[in-house]
Amino acid sequence: MGMRPIIEPFRVHTVQSIAMPSREVREEALRRSHYNLFGLRADEVTIDLLTDSGTGAMSTRQWAGMMLGDESYAGSSSFFRFEEVVRDLTGFSEVIPTHQGRAAEKILFATLVDDGRVVLNNNHFDTTRANVEYRGAEARDLVVAEGSDPALVAPFKGNMDIDALRSSLEADGDRVPLVMVTITNNAGGGQPVSMANLRAVRQVCDEYDIPVFLDACRFAENAWFIKTREDGYADKSPKEIAQEMFSLADGCTMSAKKDGLANIGGFLALNDERVASECRNLLILTEGFPTYGGLAGYDLEAIAQGLVEVLDEDYLRYRTRSVEYLAEKVAAGGVPIVQPPGGHAVFVDARALLPHIPLQEYPAQSLAVEFYREGGVRGVELGSLAFGIPQEDGTEVPAAMELVRLAIPRRMYTQSHIDYVAEVVLDVATRAESMGGYRIVEQAPWLRHFTARLEPVPVGSGG
Ligand SMILES: *Cc1c(COP(=O)(O)O)cnc(C)c1O
């Protein structure tokens, strides 16, 4: 007997219509936004896979929680519920709410990182890197070699290279204020980190007496991969696994817009009371009083409930399956993707699909534009537009990989939406050879991919 489909473990309660713009409207929208998909209006997009951040659907219990929100400026009961859930999950005693993940990063790095320091990570996410560099420090990526090989199938491609970690600490240990591990490794393709690897990071950092922080945005998806892929965890619950992951760290930064199942929010949690107190001083300066930290009381309720629901096994099984389902469909049609698919997104390998476009002409951006042009599907470039490093002589060091990320919002799209996306991707792939590259016309000094203006390089112009 065949396996029954893994169904969405929820039914629809409220609906929101989506736009079906014509091809002409899409062409005009591309011109107007200077071929930067961040410049599109959401009502010009049919299926929005730009990000899984803050875009998911909340549950009836989360909406009910919002009605219970206590909006007291100080000492809100919603904060104490939030704090209790975060403490129970992470074991960290100091819980500092922030308006989103990057605010937690900014506050942590402003406290621990300054000029000339080095922060080590498996792969810095873009806001994390920018916040480290903004402090005048170096953001060094130490992911295992297999993490940079898109086609290679391995269970934990997000792991930190422990030998590289050790040599970095040997050479620069006195300049390293903290080591971070991003779970799952977003910039590296949403790939998980194993418990064994986290344990090894902990051990090496203990030798050098350096604190370990998790960039924990997708901790529940990471826990699910440990459960299904790592020996000894099959019978543990996702919550037990998550608790064990957090027990190996000294603190975490978190965007509740991912595995908090909320539309906004984040937090910084840690054990060091002295560092926490410095962080709270900064929090008051930029976010707000420590019992709300830039959030409404109702947001704290939604996050507290989300952090419980996200560890539900039926949810995690469906969540990872819907990503895998899209991956299987496009891979079966010959489209190169990062293998195995990660927890929140399918990453299409533009370097492999468009070998004729030079890396200096942003092949992944070109592919992202075509997905939109073809079917109103908006993904995001995670290649040299996002991660290329401009040099003083005007050239650029390209990114390690040229990926287009199709991120699946949580609990939002159905299987037929995913089928539609797969067909758009496959249709675009059939005309890969006719696609050309792009050049940047205007860019910002940080996080340029959000606002850069581009123009197509005429095909056959030789660059
Ligand atoms: C989203 C994300 C962040 C930043 O969180 P925001 O809520 O968007 O500020 C940091 N790290 C990782 C791995 C992320 O995915």
Side-chain angles (χ1 to χ4, degrees):
M1 207 176 77
M3 285 235 293
R4 291 190 178 146
I6 293 167
I7 60 172
E8 289 86 356
F10 48 80
R11 54 187 175 178
V12 176
H13 183 262
T14 309
V15 299
Q16 205 170 27
S17 59
I18 54 182
M20 307 280 186
S22 66
R23 184 169 285 269
E24 293 69 46
V25 169
R26 300 198 297 266
E27 290 288 357
E28 177 48 33
L30 280 174
R31 276 192 295 275
R32 192 205 66 235
S33 58
H34 303 277
Y35 301 93
N36 186 329
L37 303 181
F38 284 99
L40 296 174
R41 295 166 48 122
D43 60 11
E44 292 164 339
V45 176
T46 301
I47 304 285
D48 205 347
L49 307 183
L50 183 72
T51 175
D52 64 323
S53 178
T55 51
M58 292 214 299
S59 69
T60 48
R61 283 176 195 275
Q62 284 177 294
W63 285 110
M66 289 188 78
M67 287 304 291
L68 299 172
D70 174 358
E71 305 305 336
S72 304
Y73 191 95
S76 152
S77 59
S78 299
F79 170 74
F80 293 111
R81 165 145 197 248
F82 168 83
E83 184 186 52
E84 190 183 313
V85 170
V86 175
R87 278 187 179 156
D88 175 48
L89 171 66
T90 65
F92 302 133
S93 53
E94 309 292 319
V95 178
I96 302 173
T98 59
H99 81 277
Q100 53 184 92
R102 69 197 66 186
E105 293 168 354
K106 176 106 197 290
I107 287 168
L108 180 67
F109 298 153
T111 306
L112 293 183
V113 180
D114 52 22
D115 220 24
R117 301 285 173 142
V118 184
V119 176
L120 309 176
N121 202 324
N122 45 353
N123 278 124
H124 287 83
F125 179 65
D126 57 6
T127 61
T128 322
R129 168 174 300 281
N131 270 306
V132 169
E133 291 175 352
Y134 186 72
R135 296 293 300 165
E138 177 193 342
R140 194 179 294 170
D141 290 344
L142 300 177
V143 74
V144 288
E146 59 192 21
S148 311
D149 180 350
L152 181 83
V153 178
F156 292 105
K157 290 169 75 175
N159 281 352
M160 179 90 88
D161 182 333
I162 299 297
D163 289 337
L165 173 64
R166 196 178 277 285
S167 15
S168 263
L169 290 176
E170 199 53 53
D172 299 312
D174 53 341
R175 295 197 292 134
V176 178
L178 77 160
V179 169
M180 292 195 85
V181 186
T182 307
I183 53 169
T184 57
N185 187 20
N186 187 359
Q191 299 293 322
V193 176
S194 71
M195 195 74 82
N197 190 251
L198 285 175
R199 222 175 276 123
V201 169
R202 169 84 269 169
Q203 200 181 340
V204 173
C205 289
D206 277 347
E207 286 171 35
Y208 292 84
D209 201 21
I210 290 173
V212 178
F213 276 73
L214 298 180
D215 180 341
C217 301
R218 296 179 182 77
F219 72 94
E221 289 162 12
N222 202 85
W224 183 255
F225 286 122
I226 288 176
K227 181 177 169 67
T228 53
R229 294 180 184 175
E230 189 164 353
D231 281 348
Y233 288 94
D235 296 330
K236 293 217 157 94
S237 71
K239 183 176 173 184
E240 287 168 328
I241 296 170
Q243 286 170 326
E244 185 174 338
M245 289 168 5
F246 285 113
S247 77
L248 294 166
D250 301 288
C252 71
T253 55
M254 171 77 189
S255 169
K257 302 172 73 173
K258 287 65 173 263
D259 277 351
L261 297 181
N263 299 122
I264 195 72
F267 59 85
L268 169 63
L270 67 167
N271 283 328
D272 187 318
E273 280 175 41
R274 191 191 52 79
V275 173
S277 130
E278 275 184 59
C279 289
R280 285 199 184 93
N281 292 339
L282 282 174
L283 186 82
I284 293 173
L285 196 65
T286 58
E287 294 283 291
F289 191 72
T291 59
Y292 73 86
L295 294 169
Y298 54 65
D299 294 322
L300 294 166
E301 293 282 350
I303 297 165
Q305 179 62 27
L307 289 172
V308 173
E309 291 177 9
V310 77
L311 289 163
D312 177 67
E313 289 203 16
D314 291 328
Y315 162 75
L316 284 168
R317 186 178 295 109
Y318 137 80
R319 167 77 180 148
T320 47
R321 176 58 195 156
S322 61
V323 174
E324 188 183 56
Y325 175 79
L326 175 59
E328 280 171 7
K329 284 207 142 189
V330 301
V335 174
I337 59 169
V338 175
Q339 291 285 10
H344 65 291
V346 170
F347 291 72
V348 182
D349 183 356
R351 194 176 198 155
L353 185 65
L354 305 170
H356 62 285
I357 301 181
L359 301 183
Q360 290 71 23
E361 294 179 9
Y362 311 108
Q365 179 63 13
S366 176
L367 187 60
V369 166
E370 289 313 305
F371 291 156
Y372 176 72
R373 194 194 307 268
E374 178 68 31
V377 174
R378 172 159 71 168
V380 69
E381 194 259 16
L382 289 176
S384 294
L385 180 59
F387 301 120
I389 304 168
Q391 305 295 295
E392 270 168 22
D393 65 0
T395 62
E396 272 183 36
V397 176
M401 296 194 271
E402 294 294 329
L403 305 176
V404 178
R405 184 186 70 185
L406 302 172
I408 319 264
R410 292 172 180 76
R411 306 190 291 201
M412 192 156 80
Y413 290 121
T414 63
Q415 187 171 337
S416 64
H417 290 125
I418 302 288
D419 284 329
Y420 172 86
V421 172
E423 284 183 27
V424 169
V425 170
L426 293 169
D427 286 345
V428 166
T430 59
R431 53 183 176 78
E433 279 163 29
S434 67
M435 290 162 51
Y438 284 80
R439 71 171 138 248
I440 294 177
V441 189
E442 229 181 273
Q443 58 180 304
W446 289 286
L447 301 174
R448 65 176 182 184
H449 54 294
F450 287 123
T451 53
R453 296 183 167 193
L454 298 106
E455 67 183 15
V457 176
V459 178
S461 73

